[in-house]
Amino acid sequence: MNFKEKIRVVMDFPEPGIRFKDITTLLKDGEAFQAAINQLAGSFKDQQIDLVVGPEARGFAVGAPVAYALGAGFIPVRKPGKLPAETIRHQYSLEYGHDALEVHKDAILPGQRVLIVDDLLATGGTTLATIALIEELGGEVAGITFMIELSYLQGRERLAGYNVVSLVSY
Ligand code: 5GP
């Protein structure tokens, strides 16, 4: 399956100069969606994954079916104020200003093996914040997987030491 063919590139979104990789065109194609999820899950099927963690919002669309395929649980990571029960928070820097992510305090037990799933790896900031939350709760990051990797932003270098797998790379 040529996944790149299914991903739409939108010029100047959300800002001038950005070539946004739009996965909605892949998700709406049943055959491509199934093949992509099977390939992402397949790389980790022998890794005894207990939980898949997906950052909102596209990490839900990709992470939940990967969790289902692996027979693992799914844990949402969200922007502040969205999760109803007690949470922990990790703040991280953006180009301008800060952002933060939260997870439920009881979402992960010490020693559980966790796979992080998101649609796209850019600078790695979102993933590093997600790793910080998982490790603070005592989870073990057994792998990290993306549909898309923007290799020219060198996010993979910032994730050195972790097992990073992506479907397609630009
Ligand atoms: P990072 O934190 O690695 O710099 O950025 C990755 C996050 O930004 C991911 O959660 C991803 O959903 C979002 N993102 C950044 N650029 C794009 C893009 O071109 N396409 C899509 N689908 N998501 C993007």
Side-chain angles (χ1 to χ4, degrees), residues 10-48:
V10 182
M11 307 302 284
D12 301 318
F13 182 89
E15 285 169 31
I18 308 264
R19 296 152 59 92
F20 190 84
K21 309 301 180 295
D22 176 19
I23 63 159
T24 65
T25 44
L26 188 157
L27 299 180
K28 76 170 183 175
D29 179 326
E31 210 179 317
F33 185 30
Q34 191 173 54
I37 296 303
N38 285 342
Q39 198 166 316
L40 291 171
S43 304
F44 294 92
K45 70 175 180 348
D46 301 322
Q47 297 283 313
Q48 281 131 355

Side-chain angles (χ1 to χ4, degrees), residues 98-141:
H98 289 90
D99 214 339
L101 289 175
E102 293 184 347
V103 70
H104 276 145
K105 218 170 182 169
D106 62 358
I108 300 166
L109 299 174
Q112 284 196 299
R113 290 176 59 78
V114 179
L115 174 64
I116 299 172
V117 179
D118 203 356
D119 64 331
L120 180 139
L121 172 64
T123 64
T126 307
T127 305
L128 283 171
T130 304
I131 291 172
L133 290 170
I134 294 165
E135 293 184 344
E136 186 177 335
L137 294 176
E140 189 189 329
V141 178

